[in-house]
């Protein structure tokens, strides 16, 4: 029988003698799964999801089984969590059951929890439409989140937390709870996730990290029995909030309210309270499953995977080894870009301050400018410089990027010049048009990801870099066709993940057959592959200014290092697991290099909360203060890649550093 999507009800006949101490929340016994949009009668291996899977999660906290699903990009972590929520077809249909949800304890507690989708909540942080905090909260277009005028549908965070997000809504299911209990739980969740100062803000105005915390809060207020968190520590959380979230999860685990299961990447920190692991292998298969120490020991012995946060999975090389080669001359590192550079000014902000009514979101500080204290943000970026922008969630990083890209309406009225021109014309000087800006910039960000059309093919995704809008007809120069083909072919193993043949070898970049890129749609790709496609879109046309806003988040370590190497090397070199690291590529040997990496004249600005996701060539940095304005804006410069803990500590003011500080020039 084909079960309805989103409405599976746990049936009493699964376990008539169930109890709190014995019934599993999820029980899978030798089940094989298929996607709903595929013919379940298909027997080909490419259509099967986790064949012959056996997996049980006990309901009793006395068992002390605390699970995490571990796997590299595109290994099927999200799919595995979906299976635990009752999604995807199961064969035989009786192989998957939810005994605890049909128990007397659950019926007495809340009969609505018999619905699997309600009892087992999933919180993911990809840009898939329909996820918490995505299309519905972000608005209908990219500039909507920066507008000061609120529409009736611009519901506040408090509205979302209470479930009041319909103009003519009936009584929401959360309102059925006792009001005192409801308010008490709401206050606790808001405090635990540090959302007190944000509850009156429209959900669409929250930063990426703030939105992530809000999504977790919304799920917790639904009082689920089981909470599935898909890669909770990536995309948008600053170090302080990562630490706070880790502490909150540890408390939830101790209280078993709710029960938790995490999906993590190999490089993510594995919490100490995790006792059991499911490690995923290639082709949507389970590689190892069992107790934490047994699984890690077996995987290390088989060389399939080493413990998290110590080694990476698959091909590629660790960031430490790549940077060590960079310092010894193996990596192409661009000039250190001192602040006294005499290059052309690409971007200049002269006292920028962004306000909404009485609330200031950027520039509410006084800055030392050539010995004089002046209000607002004063910042100058020259041709060829590589900048990193850092700051806590809500400090204004994305607002700065929106001003540069002219997505923010206040760009037109603030003292900002781009490529030597303001947005509006001045006496004797024309303004710079949005189309001129787009032609000279490349941009990858969570906002681009959220609004990018899912129906475009992979080739169309890269070609859209030459278009005025995502879906308008691109004007791709003939000389750039080979560059598009080279980028696609170089990353084929990471983009065409469903092709078994691409998993066994690294493309040389010489093959020009990219018909597969016409077949694959952007929306059908895994989250990490979508990130790669948007990164390539940002750099493929060799723009004068490249903006990478958390562009590497969501990638596992080998893929991230491969992308960073491509930024610097292009097709000239590649990385491998061998100790000698970089190798000359076949494309370079055959003089068929179409993309050589960033040039000396290109300028780059990146945003990241993770040290290892900062490109190797970044030298200058800017750290924005928190929105309270109690700390000053901070500038700095390093003469080597950002690899040491003291460098990261200096940026975040957690210890004395050894970098060189400088003022606005």
């Amino acid at each position: 029988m084909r079960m309805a999507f989103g409405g599976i009800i746990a049936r009493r006949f699964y376990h008539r003698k169930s109890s709190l101490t014995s019934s599993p929340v999820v029980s899978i016994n030798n089940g094989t799964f298929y996607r709903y949009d595929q013919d379940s009668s298909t027997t080909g291996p490419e259509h099967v999801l986790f064949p012959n899977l056996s997996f049980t999660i006990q309901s009793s906290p006395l068992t002390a089984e605390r699970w995490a699903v571990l796997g590299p990009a595109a290994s099927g972590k999200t799919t595995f969590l979906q299976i635990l929520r009752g999604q995807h077809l199961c064969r035989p249909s009786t192989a998957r059951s939810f005994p605890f949800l049909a128990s007397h304890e659950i019926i007495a507690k809340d009969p609505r929890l018999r619905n699997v989708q309600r009892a087992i909540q999933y919180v993911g942080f990809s840009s898939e439409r329909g996820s918490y905090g995505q299309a519905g909260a972000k608005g209908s277009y990219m500039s909507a989140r920066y507008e000061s005028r609120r529409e009736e549908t611009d519901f506040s965070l408090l509205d979302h937390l209470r479930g009041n997000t319909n103009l003519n809504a009936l009584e929401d299911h959360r309102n059925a709870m006792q009001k005192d209990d409801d308010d008490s739980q709401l206050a606790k969740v808001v405090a635990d996730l540090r959302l007190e100062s944000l509850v009156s803000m429209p959900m669409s105005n929250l930063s990426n990290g703030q939105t992530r915390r809000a999504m977790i809060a919304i799920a917790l207020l639904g009082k689920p029995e089981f909470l599935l968190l898909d890669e909770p520590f990536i995309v948008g959380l600053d170090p302080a909030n990562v630490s706070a979230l880790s502490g909150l999860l540890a408390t939830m685990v101790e209280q078993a309210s709710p029960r938790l299961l995490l999906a993590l990447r190999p490089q993510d920190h594995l919490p100490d309270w995790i006792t059991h692991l499911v490690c995923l292998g290639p082709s949507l298969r389970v590689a190892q499953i069992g107790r934490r120490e047994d699984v890690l020991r077996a995987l290390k012995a088989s060389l399939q995977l080493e413990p998290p946060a110590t080694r990476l999975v698959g091909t590629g090389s660790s960031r430490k080894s790549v940077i060590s080669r960079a310092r010894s001359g193996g990596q192409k590192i661009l000039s250190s870009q001192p602040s006294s550079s005499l290059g052309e000014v690409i971007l200049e902000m002269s006292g920028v301050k962004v306000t909404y009514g009485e609330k200031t979101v950027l520039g509410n500080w006084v800055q030392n400018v050539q010995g004089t204290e002046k209000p607002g943000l004063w910042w100058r970026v020259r041709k060829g410089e590589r900048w990193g922008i850092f700051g806590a969630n809500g400090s204004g990083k994305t607002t700065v990027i929106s001003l540069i890209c002219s997505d923010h309406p206040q760009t037109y009225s603030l003292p900002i010049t781009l490529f030597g021109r303001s947005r509006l014309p001045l006496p004797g000087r024309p303004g710079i048009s949005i189309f001129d800006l787009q032609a000279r910039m490349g941009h990858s960000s969570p906002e681009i990801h959220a609004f990018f059309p899912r129906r475009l093919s992979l080739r169309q995704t890269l070609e859209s870099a030459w278009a005025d809008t995502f879906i308008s007809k691109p004007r791709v120069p003939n000389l750039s066709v080979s560059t598009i083909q080279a980028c696609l072919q170089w990353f084929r193993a990471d983009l065409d993940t469903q092709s078994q043949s691409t998993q066994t070898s690294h493309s040389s970049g010489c093959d020009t057959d990219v018909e597969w890129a016409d077949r694959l749609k952007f929306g059908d790709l895994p989250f990490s592959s979508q990130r790669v496609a948007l990164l390539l879109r940002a750099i493929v046309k060799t723009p004068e200014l490249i903006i990478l806003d958390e562009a590497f988040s969501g990638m596992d370590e080998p893929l991230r290092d491969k992308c960073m190497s491509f930024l610097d090397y292009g097709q000239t070199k590649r990385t491998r697991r061998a100790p000698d690291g970089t190798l000359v590529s076949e494309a370079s040997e055959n003089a068929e290099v179409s993309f050589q990496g960033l040039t000396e004249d290109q300028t780059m600005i990146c945003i990241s909360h993770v040290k290892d996701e900062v490109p190797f060539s970044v030298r200058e940095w800017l750290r924005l203060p928190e929105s309270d304005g109690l700390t000053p804006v901070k500038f700095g410069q390093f003469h080597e890649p950002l690899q040491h803990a003291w460098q990261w500590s200096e940026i975040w003011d957690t210890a004395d550093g050894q970098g060189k500080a400088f003022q606005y020039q």
Side-chain angles (χ1 to χ4, degrees), residues 137 186 200 226 241 290-291 293 338 346 368 387 440 507 572:
L186 175 62
S200 63
F226 206 69
N241 281 308
R291 295 188 61 84
E293 56 272 19
I346 297 294
N368 188 310
W387 280 85
R440 303 173 75 170
S507 173
T572 60

Side-chain angles (χ1 to χ4, degrees), residues 442-444 458 461-466 483-492 494-495 516 522 528-543 546 548 551-552 555 559 562-564 566-567 570 595:
H443 183 199
S444 176
L458 259 178
T461 297
L462 269 64
E463 290 177 344
S464 68
W466 284 271
T483 305
I484 294 175
Q485 294 174 339
C487 291
L488 290 170
Q489 199 60 37
W490 192 264
F491 285 92
R492 179 173 184 179
D494 310 293
L495 297 171
W516 55 272
F522 180 84
S528 60
S529 299
Q530 292 179 356
R531 289 289 205 198
V532 173
L534 293 179
L535 173 66
L536 296 178
R537 178 182 180 271
I539 66 177
V540 67
K541 66 177 181 181
T542 317
I546 296 175
L548 303 180
F552 304 100
M555 301 181 187
L559 180 56
K562 181 178 178 180
C563 289
M564 288 189 176
F566 194 70
L567 273 178
F595 185 80

Side-chain angles (χ1 to χ4, degrees), residues 336-554:
S336 61
Q337 309 299 335
S339 60
S340 58
S341 170
L342 299 179
E344 173 189 349
V345 176
I346 297 294
L347 164 68
E348 186 164 14
M349 296 187 178
S350 304
V352 167
K353 188 175 183 179
V354 177
T355 61
Y356 301 105
E358 297 181 354
K359 182 177 178 60
T360 301
V361 298
L362 179 70
N364 58 334
W365 59 76
V366 175
Q367 186 174 330
N368 188 310
V369 182
Q370 297 179 337
T372 303
E373 299 294 324
K374 297 184 178 182
L377 174 60
W378 296 73
W379 184 34
R380 180 179 292 161
V381 178
R382 297 181 181 273
K383 177 185 291 188
E385 290 183 341
R386 308 290 195 267
W387 280 85
I389 302 180
F390 308 103
N393 294 144
S395 60
K397 299 182 299 297
T398 301
T399 300
V400 170
I401 297 302
S402 69
L403 293 172
I404 298 173
C405 298
S406 288
D407 292 326
H408 201 297
Q410 296 187 34
T411 303
Y412 295 85
S413 60
L414 293 173
I416 302 173
T417 60
L418 297 158
F419 304 102
R421 295 155 63 186
S422 63
R423 287 295 285 115
L424 295 179
L426 298 174
R429 299 182 62 186
I432 185 169
S433 71
I434 185 65
F435 302 109
D436 191 9
L437 280 178
Q438 290 177 340
R440 303 173 75 170
M441 287 185 185
H443 183 199
S444 176
S445 70
E447 286 71 31
I448 294 286
H449 197 167
F451 286 95
F452 197 81
R454 269 47 184 170
R455 67 178 183 272
L456 294 186
S457 70
L458 259 178
R459 189 199 295 269
Q460 290 173 328
T461 297
L462 269 64
E463 290 177 344
S464 68
W466 284 271
D468 293 333
T469 66
F470 292 149
I471 59 175
S472 59
K473 184 176 181 179
R475 297 179 293 274
V476 182
N478 292 332
L479 294 177
S480 299
V481 174
S482 61
T483 305
I484 294 175
Q485 294 174 339
C487 291
L488 290 170
Q489 199 60 37
W490 192 264
F491 285 92
R492 179 173 184 179
D494 310 293
L495 297 171
D496 190 11
T497 57
Q498 297 180 355
S499 175
Q500 299 298 313
S501 61
T502 63
Q503 305 300 322
T504 58
S505 63
H506 184 289
S507 173
S508 66
C510 301
D511 190 357
T512 59
D513 179 16
V514 290
E515 291 184 0
W516 55 272
D518 297 316
R519 169 178 49 85
L520 292 179
K521 302 299 182 183
F522 180 84
D524 295 333
L525 299 177
F527 179 78
S528 60
S529 299
Q530 292 179 356
R531 289 289 205 198
V532 173
L534 293 179
L535 173 66
L536 296 178
R537 178 182 180 271
I539 66 177
V540 67
K541 66 177 181 181
T542 317
E544 297 175 55
L545 176 60
I546 296 175
I547 298 175
L548 303 180
D549 185 353
E550 299 179 15
F552 304 100
S553 60

Side-chain angles (χ1 to χ4, degrees), residues 265-282:
R265 302 171 300 170
Q267 71 264 36
D268 290 337
H269 172 67
L270 188 61
D272 294 336
W273 46 265
I274 292 294
T275 63
H276 290 68
L277 290 175
V278 178
C279 288
L280 305 184

Side-chain angles (χ1 to χ4, degrees), residues 561-578:
D561 286 347
K562 181 178 178 180
C563 289
M564 288 189 176
S565 178
F566 194 70
L567 273 178
D568 283 341
Y569 287 127
Q571 293 174 275
T572 60
K573 292 182 182 294
R574 66 179 176 91
T575 56
R576 70 172 187 177
R577 196 180 185 122

